[in-house]
Each structure stands twice: as structure tokens, then as C-alpha cells.
Amino acid sequence: MCLGKNIDKSWLKRLQHEFKKPYMKMLSDFIKQEKDAGKRIYPPAEQYFRALNLTPFEDVKVVILGQDPYHKEGQAHGLCFSVAEDVRIPPSLLNVYKELEHDLGVKRPENGDLSHWARQGVLLLNSVLSVEAGHAASHQGKGWEHFTDEIIRLINAEKIHIVFILWGNYAHKKGACIDEGKHLIIQAAHPSPLSAHRGFFGQRYFSRTNAYLQETGQVPIAWMLEKEDKQKELF
């Protein structure tokens, strides 16, 4: 199983050395063994690197860090917090939408597909890129974390004026290497219903992000999720 065959070339030229490291072979062998044992793995293999493929390295302006893919059928599609258009919006994403509505005064989106954000430069990166169906966090500690740590290191080192949105303690720890002198870091509680009441709401992530992008000469993100031909820049 070759994990690096479906990855955007702008990322591959920076990450190809990672695919030659022992941890990646062990990860690849692990996933193959799981599949050979008849276990269902989410998302489909061709979507493991979807976050990178929708947001090439040169286009990255914002990074939102998640932890693991959704583990229920049909949910995970390679972008953290996001689900396909025809899938019910998960509770954490619903809270993100509530904050979006409060922050920008826009109508709450009717579906959970965040691909439009990704295509504008929002890297929706999970720390772990696969999971066994029905078993949350089942692929943690198998190697993905090393790979996504390298992605964060590259962005931190090679780019400037990136907005890192870190929700929850896991994301806070993973983003500990980020240089606050070069980038904007926005930290808060996780949007999960279990923790959102501890400081997730009221932080105005979306307007703060766009204000920073404008201040640094970048195009702000159109956060509203509507049909492409109805998009407006909202900031």
C-alpha cells in the first residue's frame, strides 16, 4: 500500500522524505492489515490527503486543526469537522456554525461540507487521517501524528502571516511549535457539546481571521457556505 500516491504535488515535494521513513511504512502496513482483516476504514483511502489536495501549500492562509476523522458511516471525507453535503451536521460542527452566525450575522449553513473553505486556503487538517468504523481514535499512535506534525512545521517555517485556529487542548499541544511572532494563533475550547460551554462561544474566530488577513495584505475568507455563484466576501 503506497500512502503517498494521491497527494498534491506542492505538498509531495515537501513531504516526500516522510514517505521514506520507517514510521510511514509501519503505518501503511498497519492500515493494510486492518483492511485485510475485514475492518472498514474511514475515509476512503483516496481521501486521506484531501485536505492537502484541496488546499495546496502555496494557497494556505488559515489552518484549523482537528484530531481524528469521524468514525460513523458516510461522515469522514478528509477534512476536519466537515461532512459530505448529504450527511447530518455533527454536533461540534453545529456549534461552529452557531459561532459563525453570531460572529458574522450570516444564516447558519444547511449542510456540513466545508470544501468551499478549503478551496479558499483554509487547511482543514486532522492530526490522524484514518479511523476504524465505529471506533473513535482507533488509529491514534500509529504514525499519522508524525506526518501531520511535519505539515505544521513546514507551514510555520516556510510561510508567514498564517492564522492557526486551535480548538481544544489536543490542538493547543499540537500547535505548541508555532511561532507567534510570524503567525496569528487563536486558541479556545473545543466546539464539542462536552466542552463548548467552557470558552468556545463568543471568540469571533471568523471576523478576527479576516481582519488579520486584510491587515497582512491577503484576501479574506468568504465563510458563508452557499452556492458558488452566490458567494459574497464576508468580513
Side-chain angles (χ1 to χ4, degrees):
M1 181 178 181
C2 180
L3 285 176
K5 65 180 180 179
N6 296 314
I7 186 170
D8 175 83
K9 61 182 180 181
S10 70
W11 288 105
L12 184 58
K13 70 180 182 181
R14 292 173 171 86
L15 293 167
Q16 56 187 344
H17 59 284
E18 293 298 305
F19 291 100
K20 300 175 183 178
K21 291 183 177 180
Y23 83 82
M24 189 59 76
K25 183 181 187 308
M26 292 175 65
L27 172 61
S28 180
D29 290 345
F30 165 74
I31 293 175
K32 183 179 185 301
Q33 290 166 7
E34 293 290 279
K35 290 183 175 181
D36 288 347
K39 297 180 180 180
R40 289 177 296 156
I41 307 299
Y42 298 140
E46 63 271 16
Q47 293 183 345
Y48 290 166
F49 304 110
R50 189 161 182 258
L52 304 181
N53 293 336
L54 288 185
T55 313
F57 182 84
E58 291 82 2
D59 296 345
V60 176
K61 295 188 288 189
V62 181
V63 179
I64 297 178
L65 287 179
Q67 189 166 347
D68 294 273
Y70 296 118
H71 59 88
K72 294 182 180 178
E73 184 175 1
Q75 288 185 313
H77 68 157
L79 305 176
C80 73
F81 295 102
S82 180
V83 292
E85 190 171 333
D86 58 349
V87 174
R88 183 178 179 180
I89 299 172
S92 292
L93 181 55
L94 183 60
N95 282 337
V96 172
Y97 282 176
K98 289 177 181 178
E99 177 63 14
L100 174 64
E101 184 177 35
H102 175 263
D103 186 4
L104 298 180
V106 302
K107 181 180 178 182
R108 197 177 303 171
E110 296 180 357
N111 71 77
D113 187 354
L114 304 181
S115 299
H116 179 67
W117 293 3
R119 293 189 182 99
Q120 295 179 80
V122 181
L123 182 64
L124 297 164
L125 182 68
N126 274 318
S127 177
V128 176
L129 303 185
S130 62
V131 70
E132 181 187 347
H135 296 275
S138 52
H139 287 193
Q140 286 187 13
K142 303 299 181 182
W144 281 126
E145 293 92 341
H146 298 299
F147 182 74
T148 52
D149 280 348
E150 179 63 8
I151 291 172
I152 295 169
R153 189 197 69 78
L154 283 167
I155 295 171
N156 179 59
E158 296 188 22
K159 297 182 77 71
I160 192 169
H161 301 319
I162 302 298
V163 181
F164 289 87
I165 299 176
L166 310 178
W167 289 326
N169 291 332
Y170 187 93
H172 299 174
K173 292 176 182 176
K174 193 166 183 72
C177 67
I178 300 166
D179 185 348
E180 295 185 67
K182 293 175 59 180
H183 309 289
L184 174 64
I185 301 173
I186 303 176
Q187 294 190 161
H190 194 278
S192 164
L194 299 175
S195 57
H197 64 282
R198 295 200 293 265
F200 172 77
F201 293 110
Q203 301 297 321
R204 306 189 73 86
Y205 311 101
F206 309 100
S207 58
R208 289 168 64 190
T209 293
N210 279 357
Y212 180 80
L213 293 176
Q214 285 186 293
E215 289 168 6
T216 54
Q218 302 178 77
V219 177
I221 305 299
W223 295 106
M224 185 185 292
L225 296 171
E226 290 187 348
K227 297 296 183 183
E228 295 284 341
D229 59 351
K230 295 183 179 179
Q231 281 293 331
K232 298 177 182 179
E233 296 289 354
L234 292 168
F235 47 89

